Protein backbone atom coordinates (compact mmCIF):
# COMPACT_ATOMS: atom_id res chain seq x y z
CA UNK A 1 0.00 0.00 0.00
CA UNK A 2 1.12 3.59 -0.34
CA UNK A 3 1.87 5.54 2.77
CA UNK A 4 1.21 9.03 1.53
CA UNK A 5 -2.14 9.41 3.22
CA UNK A 6 -3.52 10.71 -0.07
CA UNK A 7 -4.19 9.26 -3.51
CA UNK A 8 -2.18 12.06 -5.13
CA UNK A 9 1.49 12.50 -5.82
CA UNK A 10 4.05 11.97 -3.02
CA UNK A 11 5.33 15.43 -3.96
CA UNK A 12 3.76 18.39 -2.19
CA UNK A 13 4.26 22.13 -2.25
CA UNK A 14 5.29 24.44 0.58
CA UNK A 15 3.79 27.86 -0.08
CA UNK A 16 6.65 30.21 0.71
CA UNK A 17 6.25 32.71 3.52
CA UNK A 18 8.10 35.12 1.21
CA UNK A 19 5.00 35.23 -1.01
CA UNK A 20 2.53 38.01 -0.20
CA UNK A 21 -0.45 36.35 1.50
CA UNK A 22 -2.85 37.58 -1.16
CA UNK A 23 -1.13 35.19 -3.57
CA UNK A 24 -1.87 32.09 -1.45
CA UNK A 25 -5.23 31.29 -3.11
CA UNK A 26 -3.85 31.42 -6.65
CA UNK A 27 -0.75 29.32 -6.03
CA UNK A 28 -2.74 26.80 -3.96
CA UNK A 29 -5.36 26.33 -6.65
CA UNK A 30 -2.62 25.95 -9.26
CA UNK A 31 -0.83 23.29 -7.20
CA UNK A 32 -4.02 21.27 -6.87
CA UNK A 33 -4.79 21.52 -10.58
CA UNK A 34 -1.24 20.49 -11.49
CA UNK A 35 -1.38 17.31 -9.41
CA UNK A 36 0.65 18.04 -6.27
CA UNK A 37 -0.28 15.66 -3.46
CA UNK A 38 -0.43 18.08 -0.52
CA UNK A 39 0.03 21.72 0.44
CA UNK A 40 1.81 23.14 3.47
CA UNK A 41 1.31 26.67 4.73
CA UNK A 42 4.12 27.73 7.07
CA UNK A 43 3.82 30.03 10.04
CA UNK A 44 7.15 31.82 9.84
CA UNK A 45 7.10 34.69 12.31
CA UNK A 46 6.60 37.49 11.25
CA UNK A 47 5.54 36.97 7.65
CA UNK A 48 1.92 35.80 7.41
CA UNK A 49 -0.33 33.79 9.70
CA UNK A 50 -0.40 30.04 9.19
CA UNK A 51 -3.99 29.59 10.35
CA UNK A 52 -5.41 32.35 8.15
CA UNK A 53 -3.13 31.26 5.31
CA UNK A 54 -4.40 27.69 5.54
CA UNK A 55 -7.99 28.93 5.43
CA UNK A 56 -7.20 30.85 2.25
CA UNK A 57 -5.64 27.76 0.68
CA UNK A 58 -8.55 25.53 1.65
CA UNK A 59 -11.09 28.00 0.31
CA UNK A 60 -9.26 28.10 -3.04
CA UNK A 61 -9.07 24.32 -3.43
CA UNK A 62 -11.50 21.41 -3.26
CA UNK A 63 -9.76 18.19 -2.22
CA UNK A 64 -6.06 18.59 -1.53
CA UNK A 65 -4.92 18.23 2.08
CA UNK A 66 -3.54 21.44 3.58
CA UNK A 67 -1.01 21.32 6.38
CA UNK A 68 -0.30 24.26 8.64
CA UNK A 69 3.08 24.35 10.21
CA UNK A 70 4.84 24.55 12.05
CA UNK A 71 2.78 26.51 14.47
CA UNK A 72 4.77 27.30 17.60
CA UNK A 73 3.69 25.54 20.77
CA UNK A 74 4.34 28.85 22.52
CA UNK A 75 2.81 31.48 20.22
CA UNK A 76 -0.74 30.54 21.23
CA UNK A 77 -2.12 28.81 24.25
CA UNK A 78 -2.89 25.19 23.24
CA UNK A 79 -6.59 25.75 23.94
CA UNK A 80 -6.66 28.66 21.47
CA UNK A 81 -4.75 26.58 18.91
CA UNK A 82 -7.16 23.67 19.32
CA UNK A 83 -10.10 26.04 18.86
CA UNK A 84 -8.64 27.36 15.60
CA UNK A 85 -7.93 23.87 14.27
CA UNK A 86 -11.37 22.57 15.19
CA UNK A 87 -12.96 25.54 13.44
CA UNK A 88 -11.04 24.78 10.25
CA UNK A 89 -11.90 21.09 10.43
CA UNK A 90 -15.60 21.78 10.80
CA UNK A 91 -15.54 24.07 7.77
CA UNK A 92 -13.29 21.79 5.68
CA UNK A 93 -13.71 18.31 7.23
CA UNK A 94 -10.68 16.06 7.08
CA UNK A 95 -8.58 18.40 4.96
CA UNK A 96 -6.34 20.12 7.52
CA UNK A 97 -3.14 18.67 8.97
CA UNK A 98 -1.83 20.50 12.06
CA UNK A 99 1.95 20.78 12.41
CA UNK A 100 3.20 21.82 15.84
CA UNK A 101 6.78 22.63 16.81
CA UNK A 102 8.69 24.99 19.06
CA UNK A 103 9.46 27.31 16.15
CA UNK A 104 12.75 28.95 15.20
CA UNK A 105 14.36 29.73 18.58
CA UNK A 106 15.24 33.31 17.64
CA UNK A 107 11.63 34.10 16.81
CA UNK A 108 10.39 32.50 20.01
CA UNK A 109 12.92 34.53 21.98
CA UNK A 110 11.82 37.71 20.20
CA UNK A 111 8.31 37.11 21.55
CA UNK A 112 9.65 36.45 25.04
CA UNK A 113 8.02 33.01 25.27
CA UNK A 114 10.96 30.61 25.15
CA UNK A 115 10.09 27.79 27.59
CA UNK A 116 12.59 26.46 30.09
CA UNK A 117 12.02 23.00 28.63
CA UNK A 118 10.99 22.84 24.94
CA UNK A 119 10.46 19.09 25.36
CA UNK A 120 7.90 19.65 28.14
CA UNK A 121 6.22 22.41 26.16
CA UNK A 122 5.80 20.11 23.17
CA UNK A 123 4.47 17.22 25.24
CA UNK A 124 1.94 19.41 27.03
CA UNK A 125 0.83 21.16 23.85
CA UNK A 126 0.41 18.15 21.57
CA UNK A 127 -1.24 15.99 24.24
CA UNK A 128 -3.77 18.61 25.28
CA UNK A 129 -4.53 19.89 21.78
CA UNK A 130 -5.46 16.33 20.88
CA UNK A 131 -7.71 15.97 23.95
CA UNK A 132 -9.50 19.24 23.19
CA UNK A 133 -9.97 18.39 19.51
CA UNK A 134 -11.56 15.13 20.64
CA UNK A 135 -14.12 17.04 22.70
CA UNK A 136 -12.71 16.32 26.16
CA UNK A 137 -12.88 18.76 29.05
CA UNK A 138 -9.32 19.45 30.14
CA UNK A 139 -8.14 20.44 33.57
CA UNK A 140 -4.37 20.28 33.77
CA UNK A 141 -1.67 22.13 35.68
CA UNK A 142 1.52 21.78 33.67
CA UNK A 143 5.00 23.21 33.91
CA UNK A 144 4.40 25.32 30.79
CA UNK A 145 0.64 25.46 30.16
CA UNK A 146 -2.39 25.28 32.44
CA UNK A 147 -6.04 24.43 31.72
CA UNK A 148 -9.01 24.97 34.02
CA UNK A 149 -12.12 23.09 32.86
CA UNK A 150 -11.59 24.00 29.20
CA UNK A 151 -13.78 22.27 26.64
CA UNK A 152 -14.41 23.26 23.03
CA UNK A 153 -18.04 24.01 22.25
CA UNK A 154 -17.38 22.98 18.65
CA UNK A 155 -14.73 20.22 18.67
CA UNK A 156 -13.29 18.72 15.51
CA UNK A 157 -15.56 16.41 13.55
CA UNK A 158 -12.73 14.24 12.22
CA UNK A 159 -9.58 12.82 13.76
CA UNK A 160 -6.88 15.28 12.79
CA UNK A 161 -3.42 13.76 12.32
CA UNK A 162 -1.07 15.84 14.47
CA UNK A 163 2.39 16.38 13.04
CA UNK A 164 5.32 17.36 15.20
CA UNK A 165 7.90 19.60 13.54
CA UNK A 166 11.06 18.61 15.43
CA UNK A 167 14.69 17.76 14.72
CA UNK A 168 16.67 16.26 17.61
CA UNK A 169 16.64 12.67 18.89
CA UNK A 170 14.68 13.24 22.09
CA UNK A 171 12.00 15.24 20.29
CA UNK A 172 11.76 12.63 17.55
CA UNK A 173 11.28 9.96 20.22
CA UNK A 174 8.45 12.11 21.57
CA UNK A 175 6.91 12.43 18.12
CA UNK A 176 6.85 8.66 17.78
CA UNK A 177 5.30 8.40 21.23
CA UNK A 178 2.49 10.97 21.06
CA UNK A 179 2.11 12.31 17.49
CA UNK A 180 0.71 10.81 14.30
CA UNK A 181 3.36 12.14 11.98
CA UNK A 182 6.55 14.18 11.74
CA UNK A 183 7.19 17.29 9.67
CA UNK A 184 10.84 17.60 8.65
CA UNK A 185 12.75 20.83 8.19
CA UNK A 186 14.43 21.87 4.97
CA UNK A 187 18.05 20.66 4.61
CA UNK A 188 17.19 17.10 5.61
CA UNK A 189 19.28 14.62 3.63
CA UNK A 190 18.81 10.91 3.08
CA UNK A 191 21.05 9.92 5.98
CA UNK A 192 19.07 12.12 8.34
CA UNK A 193 15.72 10.68 7.20
CA UNK A 194 16.88 7.12 7.83
CA UNK A 195 18.16 8.19 11.27
CA UNK A 196 14.85 9.98 11.95
CA UNK A 197 12.87 6.83 11.21
CA UNK A 198 14.91 4.96 13.83
CA UNK A 199 14.35 7.63 16.48
CA UNK A 200 10.61 7.78 15.79
CA UNK A 201 10.40 3.98 16.02
CA UNK A 202 12.04 4.13 19.46
CA UNK A 203 9.30 6.48 20.64
CA UNK A 204 6.60 4.27 19.15
CA UNK A 205 8.02 1.25 20.97
CA UNK A 206 7.95 3.18 24.26
CA UNK A 207 4.25 3.91 23.75
CA UNK A 208 3.38 0.42 22.54
CA UNK A 209 2.66 1.72 19.05
CA UNK A 210 4.88 -0.67 17.11
CA UNK A 211 3.51 -1.44 13.68
CA UNK A 212 1.64 1.84 13.29
CA UNK A 213 2.74 3.78 10.24
CA UNK A 214 4.07 7.16 11.30
CA UNK A 215 3.84 9.53 8.36
CA UNK A 216 6.80 11.75 7.45
CA UNK A 217 6.51 14.86 5.29
CA UNK A 218 9.85 16.43 4.49
CA UNK A 219 10.32 20.03 3.38
CA UNK A 220 13.00 20.60 0.75
CA UNK A 221 14.51 23.77 -0.63
CA UNK A 222 13.83 23.55 -4.34
CA UNK A 223 15.12 25.03 -7.55
CA UNK A 224 14.49 23.57 -11.00
CA UNK A 225 15.58 24.87 -14.38
CA UNK A 226 16.42 23.41 -17.73
CA UNK A 227 19.87 24.80 -16.92
CA UNK A 228 20.77 22.67 -13.90
CA UNK A 229 23.82 24.76 -12.96
CA UNK A 230 21.69 27.90 -12.81
CA UNK A 231 19.17 26.15 -10.54
CA UNK A 232 21.89 24.98 -8.16
CA UNK A 233 23.40 28.44 -7.89
CA UNK A 234 19.98 29.85 -7.10
CA UNK A 235 19.47 27.25 -4.38
CA UNK A 236 22.94 27.79 -2.93
CA UNK A 237 22.03 31.24 -1.63
CA UNK A 238 18.90 29.92 0.07
CA UNK A 239 20.81 27.01 1.59
CA UNK A 240 23.39 29.37 3.08
CA UNK A 241 20.63 31.44 4.68
CA UNK A 242 19.02 28.41 6.34
CA UNK A 243 22.35 26.92 7.42
CA UNK A 244 23.15 30.21 9.14
CA UNK A 245 19.72 30.27 10.82
CA UNK A 246 20.24 26.84 12.44
CA UNK A 247 24.00 26.23 12.39
CA UNK A 248 24.00 23.39 14.89
CA UNK A 249 21.33 20.70 14.73
CA UNK A 250 20.72 17.04 14.07
CA UNK A 251 20.26 17.87 10.39
CA UNK A 252 23.87 18.95 10.02
CA UNK A 253 25.41 16.70 12.65
CA UNK A 254 23.98 13.52 11.14
CA UNK A 255 25.14 14.69 7.73
CA UNK A 256 28.61 15.11 9.25
CA UNK A 257 29.19 18.83 8.75
CA UNK A 258 28.20 20.19 12.15
CA UNK A 259 31.67 21.25 13.32
CA UNK A 260 32.69 22.68 9.96
CA UNK A 261 29.47 24.66 9.66
CA UNK A 262 29.73 25.94 13.23
CA UNK A 263 33.25 27.18 12.51
CA UNK A 264 31.96 29.10 9.48
CA UNK A 265 29.11 30.51 11.51
CA UNK A 266 31.40 31.77 14.26
CA UNK A 267 33.81 33.35 11.80
CA UNK A 268 30.95 34.99 9.93
CA UNK A 269 30.45 37.76 12.45
CA UNK A 270 27.39 39.89 11.77
CA UNK A 271 26.66 38.12 8.47
CA UNK A 272 27.44 34.41 8.81
CA UNK A 273 25.27 33.52 5.81
CA UNK A 274 27.59 35.46 3.52
CA UNK A 275 30.65 33.55 4.69
CA UNK A 276 28.82 30.22 4.51
CA UNK A 277 27.74 31.07 0.96
CA UNK A 278 31.36 31.68 -0.03
CA UNK A 279 32.91 28.70 1.69
CA UNK A 280 30.42 25.83 1.72
CA UNK A 281 31.31 22.94 -0.60
CA UNK A 282 29.15 22.36 -3.66
CA UNK A 283 28.44 18.87 -2.29
CA UNK A 284 26.32 20.36 0.48
CA UNK A 285 23.94 21.75 -2.13
CA UNK A 286 23.94 18.43 -3.98
CA UNK A 287 23.00 16.49 -0.85
CA UNK A 288 20.78 18.84 1.17
CA UNK A 289 18.80 20.70 -1.50
CA UNK A 290 16.61 19.53 -4.39
CA UNK A 291 18.10 21.54 -7.23
CA UNK A 292 19.12 20.98 -10.82
CA UNK A 293 17.45 20.12 -14.10
CA UNK A 294 14.12 18.24 -13.99
CA UNK A 295 15.71 14.79 -14.16
CA UNK A 296 18.15 15.60 -11.34
CA UNK A 297 15.36 17.00 -9.19
CA UNK A 298 13.19 13.93 -9.72
CA UNK A 299 16.08 11.67 -8.74
CA UNK A 300 16.79 13.67 -5.58
CA UNK A 301 13.13 13.65 -4.55
CA UNK A 302 12.98 9.90 -5.13
CA UNK A 303 16.08 9.39 -2.98
CA UNK A 304 14.41 11.25 -0.09
CA UNK A 305 11.27 9.14 -0.47
CA UNK A 306 13.28 5.93 -0.60
CA UNK A 307 15.14 7.04 2.56
CA UNK A 308 11.92 7.35 4.56
CA UNK A 309 9.83 10.35 3.52
CA UNK A 310 6.22 9.66 2.64
CA UNK A 311 6.05 13.01 0.89
CA UNK A 312 8.60 15.62 -0.14
CA UNK A 313 7.17 19.13 0.04
CA UNK A 314 9.02 21.43 -2.30
CA UNK A 315 9.86 24.95 -1.15
CA UNK A 316 10.71 26.91 -4.31
CA UNK A 317 13.44 29.45 -3.63
CA UNK A 318 12.46 31.56 -6.66
CA UNK A 319 9.32 33.13 -5.24
CA UNK A 320 9.22 35.66 -8.06
CA UNK A 321 8.43 32.86 -10.52
CA UNK A 322 6.53 30.48 -8.28
CA UNK A 323 3.82 29.72 -10.86
CA UNK A 324 6.39 28.92 -13.52
CA UNK A 325 8.20 26.55 -11.13
CA UNK A 326 4.96 24.77 -10.20
CA UNK A 327 4.02 24.26 -13.83
CA UNK A 328 7.49 23.09 -14.92
CA UNK A 329 7.59 20.68 -11.98
CA UNK A 330 4.17 19.25 -12.81
CA UNK A 331 5.14 18.60 -16.42
CA UNK A 332 8.67 17.29 -15.98
CA UNK A 333 9.28 16.15 -12.39
CA UNK A 334 6.09 14.75 -10.87
CA UNK A 335 5.63 12.02 -13.51
CA UNK A 336 9.03 10.57 -12.61
CA UNK A 337 8.45 10.20 -8.85
CA UNK A 338 6.83 7.11 -7.39
CA UNK A 339 5.30 6.43 -3.99
CA UNK A 340 7.25 4.70 -1.27
CA UNK A 341 5.52 1.45 -0.29
CA UNK A 342 5.34 0.08 3.21
CA UNK A 343 4.12 -3.24 4.50
Amino acid sequence: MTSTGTDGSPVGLLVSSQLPPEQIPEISALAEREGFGELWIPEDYFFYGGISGAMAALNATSEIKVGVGVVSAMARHPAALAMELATIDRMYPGRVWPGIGLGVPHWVEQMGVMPRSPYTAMRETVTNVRRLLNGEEVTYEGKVHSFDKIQLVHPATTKLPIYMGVIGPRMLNLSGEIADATLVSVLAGTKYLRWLRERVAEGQAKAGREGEHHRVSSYALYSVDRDGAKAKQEARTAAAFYLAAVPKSGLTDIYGIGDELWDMYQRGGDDPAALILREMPDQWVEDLVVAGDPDECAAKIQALIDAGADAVDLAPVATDRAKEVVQLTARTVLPQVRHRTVG
Side-chain angles (χ1 to χ4, degrees):
M1 70 176 189
T2 62
S3 59
T4 59
T6 174
D7 292 331
S9 170
V11 182
L13 181 71
L14 172 66
V15 179
S16 173
S17 58
Q18 298 286 344
L19 280 178
E22 59 269 24
Q23 294 183 20
I24 294 173
E26 182 181 14
I27 199 71
S28 299
L30 178 63
E32 183 175 57
R33 287 197 306 272
E34 294 289 0
F36 284 78
E38 61 191 57
L39 277 171
W40 282 89
I41 308 297
E43 183 159 275
D44 290 339
Y45 307 97
F46 304 92
F47 291 82
Y48 62 68
I51 297 294
S52 52
M55 287 289 287
L58 287 159
N59 188 55
T61 56
S62 58
E63 296 181 355
I64 195 169
K65 299 294 195 296
V66 177
V68 52
V70 294
V71 174
S72 173
M74 301 304 298
R76 300 173 184 80
H77 189 279
L81 176 58
M83 179 180 67
E84 295 278 14
L85 294 170
T87 299
I88 298 176
D89 178 66
R90 293 180 75 99
M91 296 176 71
Y92 302 95
R95 291 187 58 205
V96 64
W97 290 342
I100 304 172
L102 177 67
V104 174
H106 176 66
W107 294 336
V108 179
E109 289 168 352
Q110 280 185 292
M111 292 185 279
V113 292
M114 178 62 76
R116 181 174 299 178
S117 169
Y119 178 90
T120 300
M122 287 297 297
R123 179 180 285 279
E124 292 183 3
T125 299
V126 171
T127 301
N128 288 298
V129 164
R130 187 188 301 283
R131 293 178 64 193
L132 290 163
L133 289 173
N134 289 343
E136 294 182 38
E137 180 182 280
V138 177
T139 295
Y140 176 84
E141 185 66 36
K143 295 181 179 179
V144 180
H145 297 298
S146 297
F147 305 76
D148 182 14
K149 296 181 179 178
I150 296 177
Q151 185 174 27
L152 297 182
V153 174
H154 306 291
T157 58
T158 59
K159 185 180 185 302
L160 302 186
I162 297 180
Y163 286 69
M164 278 180 56
V166 291
I167 293 175
R170 192 164 177 243
M171 285 290 203
L172 289 170
N173 285 167
L174 183 63
S175 186
E177 181 185 346
I178 67 173
D180 303 294
T182 297
L183 187 60
V184 186
S185 171
V186 296
L187 302 177
T190 55
K191 187 175 181 180
Y192 176 81
L193 284 169
R194 287 190 289 268
W195 177 83
L196 173 149
R197 280 286 180 191
E198 294 171 355
R199 304 291 80 74
V200 167
E202 291 168 355
Q204 289 182 293
K206 179 180 178 181
R209 302 176 69 184
E210 299 96 333
E212 292 183 22
H213 182 66
H214 183 100
R215 194 168 189 275
V216 172
S217 286
S218 185
Y219 288 170
L221 291 176
Y222 179 62
S223 180
V224 64
D225 196 282
R226 301 288 186 184
D227 181 343
K230 177 183 175 182
K232 291 173 187 178
Q233 185 57 42
E234 186 176 61
R236 184 180 175 89
T237 301
F241 171 82
Y242 280 96
L243 286 167
V246 189
K248 193 70 173 173
S249 73
L251 294 169
T252 53
D253 289 346
I254 298 303
Y255 181 55
I257 64 170
D259 291 341
E260 185 178 1
L261 175 61
W262 183 245
D263 175 67
M264 292 180 192
Y265 178 83
Q266 290 184 308
R267 289 188 289 109
D270 293 335
D271 191 6
L275 187 139
I276 293 169
L277 178 62
R278 291 195 304 271
E279 294 190 2
M280 69 175 178
D282 291 341
Q283 194 62 44
W284 293 11
V285 177
E286 292 289 344
D287 294 343
L288 301 179
V289 173
V290 174
D293 64 36
D295 291 346
E296 289 179 286
C297 287
K300 289 176 179 179
I301 293 168
Q302 191 65 58
L304 294 171
I305 292 171
D306 292 343
D310 292 295
V312 176
D313 298 296
L314 305 176
V317 300
T319 55
D320 58 334
R321 55 185 184 91
K323 290 191 291 183
E324 175 189 334
V325 170
V326 167
Q327 290 168 332
L328 178 61
T329 301
R331 291 194 306 269
T332 64
V333 178
L334 297 193
Q336 301 188 57
V337 181
R338 66 182 185 278
H339 293 282
R340 183 174 72 94
T341 57
V342 294

